[in-house]
Amino acid sequence: MCAASCPEPTPAERARSVLAAAGSLTVTTQGHRVELIGLHTVDAAARLLLHNPPDGHLAAELAVAPHGDLAALAEFTDIAPVAVRERVRARLTLGGWLSALGPKTLVFNPARAVLAEGDGTAVVGLDELALASPDPQATHEAEMLARLDATHADTVAPLARLLPAREQLGATVVRPLRLDRHGLVLRSETPDSHHDTRLPFDTSATHPGEAVRQIHVLLARATARPRHRRLPTSS
């Protein structure tokens, strides 16, 4: 349904959305690899503020760093909130420097950003990253996709009629994979492969309520189409 000209988030916007929605990350320094869960925030300049983990390894390593900062990698993994094949949608890796920001907080200043997705890898410029905004649906997407998937027979199965015929034929299951202001992405799976198709919204959805309305527009369009074959069911 979606031609190559369909609007999509830029790599910088995707990266900012991953940062906004992530609940955890991994920080790697020369001496330690630390998993942080619910212990970070992101400021307007895309800097990471790390609230020092209880074991204090990072702060201790930083305290003896020769120049007062510490080279580090921060890694984020974006996982689809529904059960699809190959659930990792993206990996975002930031290279940069850790420094202290008060007694209990570390700040990570990125020097390099790389976004790896299923269709390739993109180096995101730091200016682009700082200027980009997370998608309006980023922090709501997981819940919205889970609700769509839970009502599969009433929503996703009809929406699957909007997929190109070649993606419907042979598909054993279709599930919602991604939601952003530009549209909804469905993943159709066959026994040995899968394909992702974007169903574009008529207008950009600037908030979750508008995204729901646009999905209803897609659903009305889909249900108006004749049903020629048995569509895949959720499993």
Side-chain angles (χ1 to χ4, degrees):
M1 178 179 179
C2 193
S5 59
C6 277
E8 295 193 37
T10 66
E13 290 170 335
R14 283 282 300 119
R16 285 304 299 265
S17 293
V18 171
L19 289 176
S24 64
L25 74 155
T26 302
V27 177
T28 304
T29 65
Q30 186 174 6
H32 297 94
R33 182 176 176 85
V34 180
E35 304 287 339
L36 300 179
I37 300 175
L39 295 175
H40 77 279
T41 54
V42 182
D43 70 9
R47 298 186 311 167
L48 297 179
L49 304 181
L50 309 179
H51 309 289
N52 196 34
D55 56 27
H57 286 320
L58 293 178
E61 191 174 357
L62 181 59
V64 296
H67 304 292
D69 53 24
L70 190 65
L73 288 178
E75 300 168 278
F76 299 81
T77 302
D78 175 28
I79 299 176
V82 300
V84 294
R85 179 186 290 132
E86 297 183 15
R87 290 185 68 177
V88 174
R89 302 187 300 185
R91 297 185 190 276
L92 175 64
T93 302
L94 303 178
W97 302 89
L98 275 175
S99 57
L101 185 67
K104 295 183 179 180
T105 303
L106 308 180
V107 59
F108 181 93
N109 292 287
R112 177 180 172 85
V114 178
L115 181 69
E117 299 181 286
D119 56 355
T121 299
V123 176
V124 180
L126 296 183
D127 289 342
E128 294 176 272
L129 187 65
L131 292 173
S133 297
D135 189 88
Q137 321 306 327
T139 57
H140 307 276
E141 183 199 23
E143 180 182 359
M144 294 175 73
L145 289 182
R147 287 183 177 179
L148 271 178
D149 196 52
T151 59
H152 190 281
D154 296 325
T155 54
V156 181
L159 287 172
R161 301 182 203 177
L162 296 176
L163 297 177
R166 65 181 180 276
E167 306 307 336
Q168 295 187 44
L169 293 173
T172 56
V173 66
V174 175
R175 281 201 164 98
L177 176 71
R178 190 187 302 281
L179 175 67
D180 55 53
R181 72 182 186 277
H182 297 300
L184 174 68
V185 178
L186 298 183
R187 171 164 289 178
S188 54
E189 299 182 359
T190 66
D192 56 0
S193 66
H194 63 266
H195 188 85
D196 302 336
T197 303
R198 177 175 288 273
L199 306 181
F201 292 153
D202 289 343
T203 59
S204 179
T206 58
H207 56 83
E210 176 63 16
V212 171
R213 193 186 75 80
Q214 290 288 341
I215 290 171
H216 287 162
V217 171
L218 289 174
L219 190 58
R221 190 174 299 153
T223 53
R225 291 192 175 188
R227 184 173 181 175
H228 296 301
R229 61 181 295 273
R230 180 179 176 83
L231 292 167
T233 58
S234 180
S235 59

